[in-house]
C-alpha cells in the first residue's frame, strides 16, 4: 500500500468512526418521565455551566404552563401545557376556559412543528388549596415508543398521536378526583404493546390499554390507589415475568403486567400519600418518600409473591425525599430532601454516607435555596444524571450540579433567566443537551 493510499485509508476510517460516533450519540432518546427506563440516567454527558448568555442553544415560547417534563425522540421534543384557567393565583379565570395543549418542537432549531389543543371537562378540580395551585392541569409527562406519542391529560383523557400530530385514538379513564383535591400528576409508560395509565385520581385505577387501538386490556382498581402521585416502573424479573411497581400509601406494590392482578406488596415506608417514583437497579427496587406522618427509604429484592415485607425487604432507612424521586448510580442513591439537602445513601446498607447542601449562585437568595419545597411549592422536579454528575432543577429555575459520588460536592449552580418564571419539571437529557421547561418557555442547553 502506498503512502497516499495509507493516508486515504486512515482518513476514511476516521471519517467512518466519526460518523458512527455521532450517529450513536444522536440515537439516545429520552422517551418518558426520567428517561428510557425511568432511571433518570443518561448515557451522554451534558454542560455543567450555563446562564442567560451562556450555553443556551435556543428557547421556545410555550402556549401555557405545566409541571410535565419534556420527552425526546430522535429530532422531536414533546411536552404538554395548559392555559385559560389557573395560570396564576392573581388571575384564576373561569374553569370552562381551561385548555390543554400538546406541543412538538424541533430539537435542533427550537421551532414548533405542531401543537394540539384539547378542551377541559366540566368536572375539573378547582384552582384552590395547596396542590393544584402548585402544579396546575398539565402534570403528566408524555411517553413515546418511537412510532406514536401518548399523552395522559387527566380528566381530558388519554390521546395517541402519530409523530406528525395526527390523532390515532382517544380514551377516557375517569373524571374523579383524589380525596385531597391535590390534582392528578402520575405519568404513563409503555410496556410490551401496552400503554400503562395511572389514572389514580380519576378512577383509583391503573389501566392497561392496547397502544395501537386504545382498547382496555385490563384494569387494576383499588381504593388504596388514592393519594398516590407516583409514576409506575417496569421491573423485569426474568424472561417471562415483568412487574409494574408503584408506590401507594404505606406500601409498594407490584402489579402483574399480563393481567393487572396484585403480585406482591411490601410495607415499611409509611406515609398517608406517595409522592415519588421508585427506581430499579440490578434486581433491587429503591424508594424514598417523606410526608406529613412519616417516610423513609427502602430497598426490596424483585420477585416474590403476596406479602414480601419479611422475605424481600433488604433494608429500611431514615433518609426522606421531598417530592423528588431518587436516582441510583454507582452504588449510591441520591435523595433530594428538605432544606436544600442532598443525601447520599449506600445501596447495600441503606446508611447515609454523604450529604451536601445546595448553595445558590445568587447572593440575594437564601444560602440554602434548593430542594426543600413542600406543600404548595413548585419544587416538583427530580434529579437526573449525566456524565457522572447529578442535576437537580428547583422551582425557581436554579439547576444545581453535583459530583455523583459519596462526597456529592456541588460544582455549579446555574440560572436560565432573571425573569419570574416557574420551573416545576424534570430535565430531559439527550445527545449532550439538557431540555428544561418553565411555565413560559422550553430551554435547550448545550455547548
Amino acid at each position: 500500500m502506498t503512502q497516499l493510499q495509507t493516508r486515504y485509508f486512515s482518513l476514511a476510517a476516521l471519517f467512518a468512526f466519526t460518523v458512527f460516533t455521532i450517529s450513536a450519540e444522536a440515537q439516545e432518546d429520552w422517551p418518558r418521565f426520567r428517561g428510557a427506563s425511568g432511571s433518570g440516567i443518561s448515557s451522554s454527558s451534558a454542560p455543567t455551566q450555563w446562564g442567560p448568555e451562556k450555553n443556551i442553544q435556543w428557547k421556545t415560547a410555550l402556549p401555557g404552563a405545566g409541571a410535565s417534563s419534556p420527552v425526546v425522540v430522535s429530532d422531536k421534543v414533546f411536552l404538554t401545557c395548559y392555559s385559560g384557567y389557573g395560570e396564576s393565583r392573581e388571575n384564576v379565570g373561569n374553569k370552562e376556559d381551561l385548555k390543554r395543549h400538546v406541543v412538538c418542537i424541533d430539537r435542533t432549531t427550537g421551532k414548533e412543528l405542531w401543537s394540539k389543543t384539547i378542551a377541559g371537562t366540566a368536572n375539573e378540580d378547582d384552582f384552590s388549596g395547596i396542590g393544584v395551585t402548585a402544579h396546575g392541569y398539565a402534570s403528566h409527562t408524555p411517553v413515546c415508543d418511537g412510532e406514536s406519542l401518548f399523552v395522559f391529560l387527566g380528566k381530558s383523557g388519554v390521546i395517541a398521536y402519530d409523530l406528525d400530530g395526527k390523532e390515532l385514538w382517544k380514551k377516557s379513564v375517569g373524571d374523579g378526583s383524589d380525596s385531597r383535591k391535590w390534582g392528578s400528576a402520575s405519568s404513563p409508560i409503555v410496556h410490551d404493546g401496552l400503554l400503562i395509565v395511572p389514572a389514580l385520581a380519576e378512577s383509583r385505577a391503573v389501566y392497561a390499554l392496547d397502544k395501537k387501538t386504545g382498547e382496555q386490556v385490563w384494569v387494576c382498581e383499588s381504593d388504596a390507589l388514592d393519594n398516590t402521585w407516583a409514576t409506575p416502573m417496569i421491573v423485569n424479573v426474568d424472561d417471562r415475568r415483568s412487574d409494574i411497581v408503584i408506590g401507594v400509601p404505606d406500601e409498594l406494590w407490584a402489579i402483574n403486567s399480563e393481567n393487572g392482578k396484585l403480585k406482591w406488596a411490601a410495607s415499611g415506608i409509611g406515609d398517608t400519600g406517595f409522592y415519588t417514583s421508585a427506581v430499579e437497579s440490578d434486581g433491587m427496587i429503591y424508594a424514598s418518600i417523606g410526608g406529613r406522618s412519616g417516610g423513609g427509604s427502602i430497598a426490596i429484592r424483585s420477585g416474590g409473591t403476596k406479602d414480601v415485607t419479611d422475605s424481600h425487604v433488604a433494608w429500611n432507612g431514615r433518609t426522606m425525599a421531598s417530592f423528588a424521586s431518587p436516582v441510583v448510580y454507582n452504588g449510591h442513591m441520591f435523595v433530594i430532601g428538605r432544606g436544600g439537602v442532598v443525601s447520599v445513601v449506600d445501596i447495600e446498607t441503606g446508611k447515609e454516607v454523604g450529604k451536601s447542601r445546595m448553595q445558590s449562585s445568587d447572593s440575594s437568595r437564601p444560602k440554602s435555596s434548593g430542594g426543600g419545597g413542600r406543600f404548595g411549592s413548585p419544587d416538583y422536579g427530580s434529579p437526573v444524571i449525566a456524565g457522572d454528575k447529578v442535576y437537580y432543577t428547583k422551582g425557581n429555575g436554579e439547576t444545581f450540579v453535583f459530583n455523583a459520588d459519596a462526597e456529592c460536592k456541588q460544582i455549579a449552580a446555574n440560572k436560565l433567566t432573571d425573569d419570574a418564571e416557574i420551573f416545576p419539571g424534570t430535565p430531559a437529557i439527550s445527545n449532550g443537551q439538557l431540555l428544561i421547561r418553565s411555565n413560559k418557555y422550553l430551554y435547550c442547553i448545550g455547548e
Side-chain angles (χ1 to χ4, degrees):
M1 183 179 290
T2 67
Q3 184 176 4
L4 179 60
Q5 288 173 322
T6 301
R7 182 181 298 174
Y8 174 81
F9 178 80
S10 299
L11 289 172
L14 177 61
F15 175 77
F17 175 77
T18 303
V19 170
F20 173 79
T21 303
I22 292 172
S23 298
E25 289 179 353
Q27 290 173 1
E28 187 203 12
D29 291 335
W30 193 270
R32 54 154 288 186
F33 176 63
R34 302 187 80 206
S37 63
S39 67
I41 300 173
S42 170
S43 61
S44 69
S45 60
T48 58
Q49 294 186 334
W50 60 86
E53 304 298 329
K54 180 180 181 180
N55 283 341
I56 298 180
Q57 294 185 341
W58 51 259
K59 75 174 186 178
T60 298
L62 299 175
S68 62
S69 304
V71 299
V72 185
V73 172
S74 187
D75 59 350
K76 292 181 170 66
V77 184
F78 305 97
L79 75 164
T80 61
C81 310
Y82 75 94
S83 65
Y85 174 68
E87 295 183 72
S88 71
R89 297 173 188 262
E90 296 75 27
N91 184 22
V92 174
N94 299 312
K95 191 187 296 185
E96 57 267 25
D97 294 329
L98 176 65
K99 300 288 188 297
R100 293 183 171 95
H101 308 273
V102 182
V103 184
C104 175
I105 294 169
D106 185 287
R107 183 174 69 169
T108 303
T109 64
K111 177 183 177 181
E112 182 183 296
L113 299 177
W114 56 262
S115 65
K116 303 293 177 180
T117 300
I118 302 94
T121 70
N123 198 38
E124 297 290 351
D125 295 318
D126 291 335
F127 190 76
S128 62
I130 60 175
V132 178
T133 53
H135 66 86
Y137 300 92
S139 303
H140 319 82
T141 297
V143 60
C144 182
D145 66 356
E147 297 179 351
S148 302
L149 176 73
F150 306 95
V151 293
F152 175 34
L153 301 172
K155 302 182 203 314
S156 291
V158 183
I159 308 176
Y161 298 96
D162 70 15
L163 301 193
D164 294 320
K166 177 184 176 182
E167 184 176 314
L168 303 175
W169 54 260
K170 186 174 182 179
K171 174 82 172 181
S172 173
V173 288
D175 64 353
S177 300
D178 59 285
S179 59
R180 295 177 181 176
K181 297 295 180 72
W182 284 1
S184 178
S186 302
S187 300
I189 61 174
V190 169
H191 172 66
D192 197 21
L194 300 176
L195 178 67
I196 309 300
V197 182
L200 309 174
E202 292 75 14
S203 56
R204 311 289 194 273
V206 176
Y207 286 85
L209 308 179
D210 185 305
K211 71 174 187 176
K212 296 291 187 183
T213 66
E215 294 298 316
Q216 179 179 310
V217 177
W218 54 254
V219 61
C220 174
E221 298 176 291
S222 173
D223 287 340
L225 291 168
D226 186 23
N227 295 326
T228 291
W229 293 270
T231 291
M233 71 166 182
I234 298 296
V235 176
N236 295 311
V237 179
D238 53 41
D239 293 340
R240 295 180 294 176
R241 174 180 168 183
S242 297
D243 294 341
I244 300 168
V245 175
I246 190 169
V248 303
D250 297 319
E251 294 181 330
L252 263 80
W253 284 7
I255 299 169
N256 189 320
S257 64
E258 294 183 348
N259 57 28
K261 303 296 184 182
L262 185 63
K263 195 73 175 180
W264 58 255
S267 58
I269 187 170
D271 190 38
T272 57
F274 214 105
Y275 321 111
T276 63
S277 301
V279 292
E280 184 266 345
S281 179
D282 295 327
M284 294 292 294
I285 298 160
Y286 303 92
S288 181
I289 63 167
R292 291 178 165 182
S293 61
S297 300
I298 195 168
I300 305 170
R301 288 186 293 273
S302 62
T305 57
K306 299 183 179 179
D307 187 343
V308 300
T309 305
D310 294 331
S311 60
H312 284 65
V313 172
W315 51 258
N316 289 103
R318 296 182 178 180
T319 305
M320 292 190 292
S322 186
F323 286 122
S325 302
V327 62
V328 172
Y329 185 73
N330 281 356
H332 298 113
M333 179 168 70
F334 298 88
V335 179
I336 309 296
R338 302 185 190 187
V341 173
V342 185
S343 298
V344 187
V345 177
D346 184 306
I347 62 172
E348 294 293 331
T349 65
K351 304 296 184 183
E352 286 190 9
V353 295
K355 190 169 285 189
S356 184
R357 185 176 296 274
M358 299 178 193
Q359 303 296 319
S360 175
S361 61
D362 188 343
S363 60
S364 66
R365 302 185 188 198
K367 189 174 182 180
S368 172
S369 65
R374 286 298 294 164
F375 304 100
S377 161
D379 292 344
Y380 284 113
S382 293
V384 291
I385 285 181
D388 296 321
K389 303 291 187 293
V390 180
Y391 294 75
Y392 173 70
T393 300
K394 195 172 149 48
N396 66 9
E398 277 193 295
T399 297
F400 298 86
V401 186
F402 301 87
N403 288 325
D405 54 24
E407 184 181 2
C408 198
K409 180 182 177 181
Q410 180 176 315
I411 61 175
N414 306 295
K415 290 196 305 177
L416 281 167
T417 177
D418 292 322
D419 295 334
E421 295 178 34
I422 300 172
F423 293 76
T426 296
I429 306 174
S430 178
N431 198 28
Q433 295 174 320
L434 279 160
L435 292 131
I436 303 177
R437 70 93 46 87
S438 76
N439 59 330
K440 296 180 180 180
Y441 296 97
L442 176 67
Y443 293 84
C444 179
I445 301 162
E447 293 181 345

